Amino acid sequence: MTGITEIAKKTIRIGALIVVSPLVVLYWLLRPVSREDSLFAGFSQTVSLFPGLLGSYLRIAFYRCAMSHCANDSYIGFGTLFSHRDTELHSGIYIGPQCNIGLSTIQRNCLLGSGVHLLSGKNQHRFDDPDTPIRLQGGEFTKISLGENTWVGNGAIIMANVGRDCIIGAGTVVTNDIPPGSIVAGNPGKVVRSRYAESKQGATT
């Protein structure tokens, strides 16, 4: 049964690639005459609208051709947008609907709930000069990392690195780097417990 399932998945992936191939060709034709991330974000808006499980297969097929790295066994929910081509999605990832993903690396087996925002760092907009409109002051995009086997709850906002094996509570705002194995909640997000410490304590009792 497993073998049949894998064959079916491979067949669907090939079909999805065929379906999105016109979009892929158009994207690569427009790259030399476009701002790369703006072009990528525009195409992301288009493919985000494909519904259902088939929609995820179509998104994965497109991003495998357009993104720095996108594993073929991930799931990307309806309405999820990506803003930077240099984004990496590794194996076994689940990204829920209506997420906004900035410049980032999402490591293996991460789970993101609905409406999660991964920002491109916390310095995207400068505002030091009160006499200059904020939109003209520029900023810095930083590639953040979401560690392997991390679960992010609905509506969380992350603008710093998160270590592996973490749990980020729903609605949490992460502004500083989070160590591995942490359970984080609040605004701003604070480490409330360590999964590693609990595991060690359980092993000694």
Side-chain angles (χ1 to χ4, degrees):
M1 182 63 73
T2 303
I4 296 174
T5 301
E6 286 303 313
I7 291 173
K9 287 181 178 179
K10 288 180 180 179
T11 302
I12 294 171
R13 286 171 185 147
I14 292 171
L17 182 58
I18 293 171
V19 170
V20 300
S21 59
L23 276 178
V24 173
V25 171
L26 179 60
Y27 171 76
W28 282 97
L29 287 174
L30 291 174
R31 277 191 66 188
V33 295
S34 305
R35 293 177 57 190
E36 185 171 64
D37 284 331
S38 295
L39 178 68
F40 177 78
F43 274 80
S44 178
Q45 292 168 16
T46 300
V47 300
S48 74
L49 300 176
F50 299 142
L53 179 60
L54 179 59
S56 178
Y57 276 101
L58 293 171
R59 281 184 281 280
I60 293 294
F62 175 79
Y63 290 131
R64 282 179 62 80
C65 299
M67 191 179 280
S68 285
H69 180 78
C70 180
N72 64 8
D73 62 346
S74 296
Y75 177 91
I76 302 174
F78 175 82
T80 287
L81 302 176
F82 295 84
S83 59
H84 293 267
R85 192 192 72 81
D86 188 23
T87 297
E88 300 177 41
L89 306 180
H90 292 272
S91 178
I93 293 169
Y94 173 91
I95 300 177
Q98 307 295 334
C99 292
N100 281 275
I101 310 298
L103 185 60
S104 58
T105 298
I106 304 178
Q107 303 289 355
R108 296 174 63 250
N109 298 322
C110 284
L111 304 175
L112 280 68
S114 303
V116 171
H117 291 246
L118 297 187
L119 277 62
S120 306
K122 54 185 178 181
N123 298 308
Q124 290 182 222
H125 299 283
R126 296 194 180 95
F127 49 87
D128 301 324
D129 184 359
D131 298 321
T132 302
I134 293 174
R135 68 182 179 85
L136 299 178
Q137 294 192 43
E140 178 184 355
F141 292 97
T142 302
K143 192 172 187 177
I144 66 169
S145 175
L146 197 63
E148 182 176 340
N149 192 38
T150 286
W151 172 25
V152 182
N154 289 11
I157 299 173
I158 298 176
M159 56 186 82
N161 297 314
V162 175
R164 62 174 295 151
D165 301 320
C166 288
I167 297 175
I168 310 298
T172 297
V173 179
V174 175
T175 57
N176 295 302
D177 290 354
I178 302 298
S182 299
I183 300 175
V184 183
N187 180 9
K190 296 185 181 300
V191 176
V192 295
R193 293 204 307 275
S194 170
R195 296 181 66 202
Y196 296 161
E198 290 178 358
S199 177
K200 289 179 181 178
Q201 185 177 7
T204 57
T205 56

